[in-house]
């Protein structure tokens, strides 16, 4: 079923009112809710939940997930486990492969709206890609990409491009006039260098942009003279959320220079990913960050964890603390500075 933007709502509904379903005398009746009524008073908006149980709110949150799930789901038990949370969800058959492209398109619009609301995809910035299939002749990989220059909070499934692994468009958006994102080639850099990747997310969050100014040192990427800056973090709990790292490990995130167009980032992206195989992100100076995972859930978990760490790094810098130094070393350094200050007085 296609999703369509809602327009001219004032012509169909009274101003600031919404249509809801109420249970009266054992029957569900459609009525118009005034301001102050609605969800909190157990009047369920029709578009949110058309089939009410005795207690619609409890039923909605008890067994209905808010995100649309694909058949390539991830959970703490693993997607191949019979107890996998996705496959065992309410009415829990996995999505048929034929219908998965429709699900992926809708899911991408959901995620983009969520990231926009966080301030991570403002002003048409940022983007998202997902990949399905197994890479065989019978089940080839299919790549989905957000388009260029679209308001992410208004994006719908019909706006998404569908491509093959040679970057050829298989199915263009139904929405006319859309163009491929300038970062499309970046998706393929990640997919080719990290073959298990199923989702790549690019955000323009303020935290990621500011974090690119906190690098500790330059490092050589190769023998051809290419260099990269590195942001190091350690002894922070959310490091565990980015993959391949524990609390007391040193997380090294490469920072590459920005370019006039995102497609020009590909060579530096490739060098950085090869140089730092444990890291699941690349920062772009004064721009944002690319993050990936083996599923959309994992990529979402990582982008949220990385952004939390970027904010922590910026605030620690404001406090005079170094995010890349273990607490004991930092404490010793601060104590020495206090003693020097006391002696000078």
């Amino acid at each position: 079923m296609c999703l369509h933007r809602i327009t001219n709502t004032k012509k169909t509904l009274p101003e600031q009112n919404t249509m809801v379903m109420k249970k009266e005398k054992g029957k569900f009746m459609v009525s118009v809710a005034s301001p102050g009524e609605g969800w909190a008073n157990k009047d369920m908006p029709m578009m949110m939940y058309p089939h009410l149980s005795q207690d619609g709110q409890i039923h909605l949150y008890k067994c209905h997930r808010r995100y649309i799930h694909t058949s390539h789901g991830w959970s703490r038990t693993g997607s191949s486990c019979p107890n996998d949370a996705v496959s065992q969800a309410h009415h829990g058959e996995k999505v048929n492969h034929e219908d998965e492209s429709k699900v992926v398109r809708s899911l991408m619009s959901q995620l983009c709206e969520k990231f926009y609301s966080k301030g991570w995809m403002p002003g048409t910035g940022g983007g998202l890609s997902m990949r399905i299939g197994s890479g065989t002749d019978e089940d080839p990989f299919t790549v989905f990409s957000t388009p260029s220059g679209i308001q992410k909070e208004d994006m719908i499934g019909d706006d998404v491009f569908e491509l093959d692994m040679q970057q050829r468009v298989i199915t263009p958006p139904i929405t006319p006039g859309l163009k491929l994102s300038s970062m499309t080639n970046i998706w393929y850099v990640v997919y080719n260098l990290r073959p298990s990747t199923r989702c790549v997310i690019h955000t323009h969050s303020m935290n990621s942009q500011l974090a690119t100014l906190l690098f500790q040192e330059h490092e050589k990427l190769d023998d051809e003279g290419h260099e990269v800056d590195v942001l190091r973090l350690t002894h922070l709990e959310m490091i565990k959320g980015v993959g391949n790292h524990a609390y007391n490990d040193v997380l090294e995130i490469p920072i590459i220079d920005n370019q006039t167009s995102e497609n020009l980032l590909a060579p530096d992206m490739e060098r950085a990913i090869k140089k730092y195989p444990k890291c699941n992100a690349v920062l772009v100076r004064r721009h944002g960050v690319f993050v990936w995972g083996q599923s959309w859930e994992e990529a979402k978990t990582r982008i949220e964890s990385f952004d939390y760490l970027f904010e922590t790094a910026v605030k620690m810098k404001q406090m005079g603390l170094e995010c890349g130094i273990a607490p004991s070393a930092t404490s010793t350094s601060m104590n020495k500075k206090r003693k020097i200050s006391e002696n000078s007085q």
Side-chain angles (χ1 to χ4, degrees), residues 49-63:
Y49 196 66
H51 306 292
L52 293 180
S53 64
Q54 184 174 1
D55 190 334
Q57 289 185 81
I58 292 177
H59 190 62
L60 176 63
Y61 284 99
K62 173 177 177 292
C63 54

Side-chain angles (χ1 to χ4, degrees), residues 72-325:
H72 295 284
W74 168 87
S75 74
R76 295 184 183 278
T77 56
S79 59
S80 62
C81 176
N83 297 320
D84 172 63
V86 176
S87 63
Q88 295 298 317
H90 187 61
H91 302 306
E93 306 85 6
K94 287 192 175 182
V95 181
N96 294 329
H97 182 74
E98 313 83 67
D99 300 326
E100 192 166 11
S101 64
K102 299 178 183 177
V103 177
V104 169
R105 291 168 183 272
S106 298
L107 174 59
M108 288 175 65
S109 68
Q110 269 190 299
L111 291 172
C112 284
E113 181 183 28
K114 177 65 68 174
F115 295 146
Y116 169 84
S117 68
K118 288 177 174 289
W120 294 357
M121 291 185 176
T124 78
L128 174 67
S129 174
M130 290 188 187
R131 178 169 69 161
I132 63 173
S134 59
T136 63
D137 292 338
E138 296 77 19
D139 184 28
F141 286 127
T142 302
V143 174
F144 298 84
S145 175
T146 51
S148 176
I150 195 167
Q151 304 288 333
K152 296 302 187 295
E153 77 277 20
D154 191 45
M155 198 186 84
I156 59 176
D158 287 343
D159 297 336
V160 175
F161 280 87
E162 183 176 344
L163 307 96
D164 62 17
M165 283 302 291
Q166 286 70 48
Q167 302 189 40
R168 296 174 302 207
V169 176
I170 300 173
T171 307
I174 295 176
T175 306
L178 294 180
K179 297 180 180 179
L180 273 173
S181 170
S182 61
M183 70 190 81
T184 301
N185 63 328
I186 305 296
W187 311 140
Y188 288 87
V189 169
V190 180
Y191 289 138
N192 287 324
L193 293 178
R194 296 286 183 268
S196 62
T197 297
R198 291 281 182 177
C199 180
V200 188
I201 302 170
H202 174 49
T203 67
H204 290 185
S205 80
M206 183 62 69
N207 293 328
S208 63
Q209 182 180 211
L210 294 177
T212 65
L213 308 178
L214 300 178
F215 65 92
Q216 287 92 347
E217 63 181 79
H218 297 279
E219 284 200 355
K220 290 182 63 176
L221 278 175
D222 52 34
D223 296 330
E224 299 177 6
H226 297 104
E227 291 186 339
V228 67
D229 294 328
V230 181
L231 175 65
R232 290 189 175 89
L233 302 100
T234 188
H235 287 74
L236 296 169
E237 177 65 16
M238 289 302 287
I239 286 177
K240 295 189 293 188
V242 304
N244 304 327
H245 293 79
Y247 162 78
N248 57 348
D249 287 339
V250 178
L251 170 62
E252 295 183 318
I253 310 169
I255 307 170
I256 63 175
D257 286 327
N258 195 22
Q259 302 291 340
T260 54
S261 180
E262 286 170 322
N263 64 297
L264 300 177
L265 296 171
D268 285 339
M269 277 285 296
E270 183 173 348
R271 285 187 281 265
I273 292 172
K274 289 179 178 178
K275 177 71 174 180
Y276 297 91
K278 285 187 64 178
C279 188
N280 296 304
V282 173
L283 282 162
V284 183
R285 194 186 319 280
R286 300 175 183 267
H287 181 151
V289 66
F290 288 88
V291 177
W292 52 87
Q294 296 184 39
S295 68
W296 71 266
E297 295 98 326
E298 190 172 69
K300 177 178 177 292
T301 298
R302 288 175 177 174
I303 192 73
E304 291 171 348
S305 300
F306 272 114
D307 203 80
Y308 184 96
L309 291 170
F310 298 150
E311 182 178 8
T312 301
V314 171
K315 291 185 176 180
M316 287 181 69
K317 188 70 172 180
Q318 294 171 344
M319 297 169 64
L321 301 173
E322 292 295 332
C323 59
I325 301 177

